[in-house]
Amino acid sequence: MIRTVDTTQELAAFLRTRRERLDPDDFGLPARRRSRRTPGLRREEVAELAGVSTDYVVRLEQGRGLRPSADVVEALSRALRLAPDERAYLFDLARHRPRNADKPATTVAPPLARLVADLSPLPAMLLNHRYDILAWNDEIARLLLDFDTLPPSQRNSMWLCLMHPETREFYVDRERVVREGIAHLRAAWAAHPEDQALTDLIAEFTAGDEEFARLWAEGDVRVNGRGRKVMRHPEVGVVAVDFETLMPLQDPNLRLVIYRAADEESQAALDRLCPPS
């Protein structure tokens, strides 16, 4: 029978099995150190790669009640060359929230891009954590803006809301939309401290938009994945949409945003924009 996990013992076993599966030849170890009777790396070699003492690795593998710090977990993950899922598992066992090791997404896997297109007639788009618009379908382009007409540097929903002349007054409740976007950006900023592009984007907004600078200074933090937006469309008038934000399991740094009409009048307006085939 599988019992509730003993994190100390599972962490010990996980470290041992991951150490033993490694090929010493992949690490360029000196020939004099390669003679060994057991598979994988030795504990002292893992300790050296991770920058910790051999005794510490021994005690971890013996399940002697240690709880490694987040820095040590990160170092062990690198030393053991853990895959992203394995790394997250090790952080869970050590009861730490894993730091984001992946580079910010700037491209979309073809199956995910096809999914965005296949969601028609629902307007949908795919964003990364900094609000860059990476994929979209025709319906959302007709509702918001033809993103193909923009240079990639401007395909950012926050940039469009703040800087683009056609979209600055697009939202009926503009301040709420901007406030919620800023609260998300602040959360993303803390979760991705290595993302210089995000830091530069925030600096650009702070210097170039008084409203952004005022709201950013309030320090709100929130990730809002569901809600309603009311828009003034130049062709069909006021459109209210409910949005839902989903995270692809394989690409957790991406956000799939799907719009649905909030009422019959808004559905009729969307049908006029994108007549059903």
Side-chain angles (χ1 to χ4, degrees):
M1 181 178 69
I2 300 296
R3 299 179 180 178
T4 301
V5 63
D6 181 332
T7 55
T8 298
Q9 294 303 317
E10 178 59 20
L11 186 145
F14 187 69
L15 290 176
R16 286 196 303 272
T17 58
R18 292 314 181 266
R19 173 176 61 81
E20 291 170 355
R21 74 178 183 178
L22 294 173
D23 185 347
D25 290 338
D26 293 338
F27 290 80
L29 298 174
R32 61 183 174 80
R33 298 174 62 182
R34 290 190 190 174
S35 177
R36 58 193 73 224
R37 297 178 181 177
T38 57
L41 296 186
R42 298 189 178 103
R43 292 189 179 102
E44 59 266 28
E45 291 165 342
V46 170
E48 182 178 343
L49 290 168
V52 298
S53 71
T54 301
D55 179 64
Y56 191 82
V57 172
V58 170
R59 286 186 289 159
L60 281 176
E61 289 196 3
Q62 291 177 346
R64 288 161 56 181
L66 297 180
R67 183 187 174 192
S69 69
D71 286 337
V72 170
V73 175
E74 186 65 54
L76 288 169
S77 297
R78 290 195 301 267
L80 296 171
R81 299 187 177 180
L82 299 184
D85 291 344
E86 294 173 325
R87 173 180 173 275
Y89 185 64
L90 185 60
F91 268 92
D92 285 341
L93 292 175
R95 290 172 288 172
H96 292 296
R97 181 178 179 179
R99 299 166 185 166
N100 196 317
D102 299 327
K103 294 182 180 179
T106 57
T107 59
V108 178
L112 199 51
R114 288 196 296 272
L115 173 61
V116 175
D118 290 344
L119 284 169
S120 297
L122 295 177
M125 60 182 171
L126 202 64
L127 312 176
N128 63 13
H129 65 271
R130 65 171 87 110
Y131 278 138
D132 292 333
I133 303 166
L134 305 181
W136 59 89
N137 60 17
D138 291 341
E139 285 77 7
I140 207 159
R142 293 174 189 171
L143 175 62
L144 300 181
L145 190 67
D146 185 355
F147 303 122
D148 275 324
T149 65
L150 301 173
S153 61
Q154 294 180 9
R155 292 176 192 161
N156 178 281
S157 60
M158 182 59 76
W159 188 95
L160 293 172
C161 187
L162 295 172
M163 305 294 189
H164 195 279
E166 294 181 18
T167 56
R168 276 192 60 86
E169 304 304 324
F170 187 69
Y171 295 101
V172 172
D173 191 357
R174 172 185 167 77
E175 178 165 329
R176 179 182 61 83
V177 172
V178 174
R179 184 184 294 275
E180 290 178 354
I182 289 172
H184 166 89
L185 279 182
R186 183 175 285 277
W189 182 59
H192 300 269
E194 77 295 338
D195 187 357
Q196 187 61 47
L198 176 58
T199 299
D200 293 343
L201 193 65
I202 293 168
E204 177 187 352
F205 293 157
T206 303
D209 188 89
E210 292 182 2
E211 180 184 29
F212 183 95
R214 172 175 59 85
L215 295 175
W216 179 264
E218 294 181 7
D220 290 344
V221 178
R222 185 183 180 189
V223 178
N224 189 25
R226 178 180 296 136
R228 177 169 294 184
K229 294 180 180 180
V230 183
M231 310 167 184
R232 300 185 188 92
H233 195 277
E235 296 179 26
V236 296
V238 175
V239 181
V241 297
D242 293 325
F243 68 88
E244 190 75 30
T245 305
L246 308 176
M247 295 172 56
L249 184 61
Q250 199 71 20
D251 298 284
N253 283 328
L254 298 179
R255 305 290 183 267
L256 177 61
V257 182
I258 305 170
Y259 287 173
R260 299 182 67 189
D263 49 51
E264 291 183 2
E265 292 80 5
S266 296
Q267 184 61 63
L270 290 177
D271 289 343
R272 291 196 300 274
L273 274 178
C274 307
S277 55

